Amino acid sequence: MSARLTPGDEAPAFTLPDADGNEVSLADHKGRKVIVYFYPAALTPGCTKQACDFTDNLDVLAGAGYDVIGISPDAPQKLAKFREKENLKVTLLADPDKKVLDAYGAYGEKKNYGKTYMGVIRSTIVVDEQGKVEHALYNVRATGHVAKIIKDLGI
């Protein structure tokens, strides 16, 4: 389990396939602010709620200069199904080997019903125009999270 990021850290560079298999890099967004959120699994209730909230608020976020990228360990084909089923507009990236999840501190030990296991820690990292971490939020709730980010960012 890697260390969590803190404001001021350099955001780890990444290049991952999107739902269509196209490579997307953090560097593609240089000069814009990016909200990178990590979620456990496409097509599950909490992750669907969160992705729909980001999609519903995409115009507001984009208008304030933010791009939104969702990353999960799902395969691109599953992400495409998720996007189509829920009519999602956010960029969804696949990280099946969990290297980016790990680099961002979004993969590690979790506890649920008394059991300890390794899994995706629902997290949101806001990266500024220079590629530095502006906000690092870990163990966030799927419901109400997007509204909280908008409030915290003063949008």
Side-chain angles (χ1 to χ4, degrees):
M1 185 167 117
S2 63
R4 292 184 169 184
L5 299 175
T6 56
D9 288 349
E10 189 74 35
F14 62 78
T15 300
L16 294 170
D18 68 7
D20 299 314
N22 302 314
E23 299 280 300
V24 175
S25 299
L26 181 61
D28 299 341
H29 298 269
K30 201 88 164 154
R32 285 187 59 81
K33 293 183 179 205
V34 185
I35 296 170
V36 183
Y37 78 97
F38 298 92
Y39 62 99
L43 301 166
T44 58
C47 298
T48 298
K49 172 84 178 106
Q50 189 177 23
C52 289
D53 279 355
F54 271 117
T55 292
D56 293 346
N57 289 285
L58 204 53
D59 289 344
V60 171
L61 292 165
Y66 291 89
D67 295 336
V68 179
I69 297 173
I71 299 177
S72 76
D74 298 304
Q77 300 84 333
K78 187 173 179 189
L79 297 178
K81 209 179 287 180
F82 187 34
R83 181 186 61 199
E84 304 314 316
K85 182 175 187 279
E86 301 299 336
N87 206 13
L88 301 174
K89 303 284 183 252
V90 294
T91 300
L92 300 174
L93 302 182
D95 185 21
D97 62 11
K98 304 173 187 74
K99 283 194 169 99
V100 176
L101 284 154
D102 196 47
Y104 277 78
Y107 187 80
E109 203 171 86
K110 295 174 71 168
K111 284 183 172 42
N112 201 9
Y113 301 112
K115 287 193 174 28
T116 302
Y117 60 97
M118 296 299 283
V120 175
I121 298 161
R122 193 181 301 276
S123 312
T124 301
I125 310 298
V126 180
V127 181
D128 71 13
E129 300 90 336
Q130 283 75 46
K132 298 260 189 241
V133 174
E134 200 173 274
H135 297 275
L137 310 162
Y138 292 94
N139 293 311
V140 301
R141 294 208 169 290
T143 305
H145 179 59
V146 176
K148 183 185 179 333
I149 289 174
I150 289 171
K151 184 174 177 268
D152 289 353
L153 296 176
I155 299 172

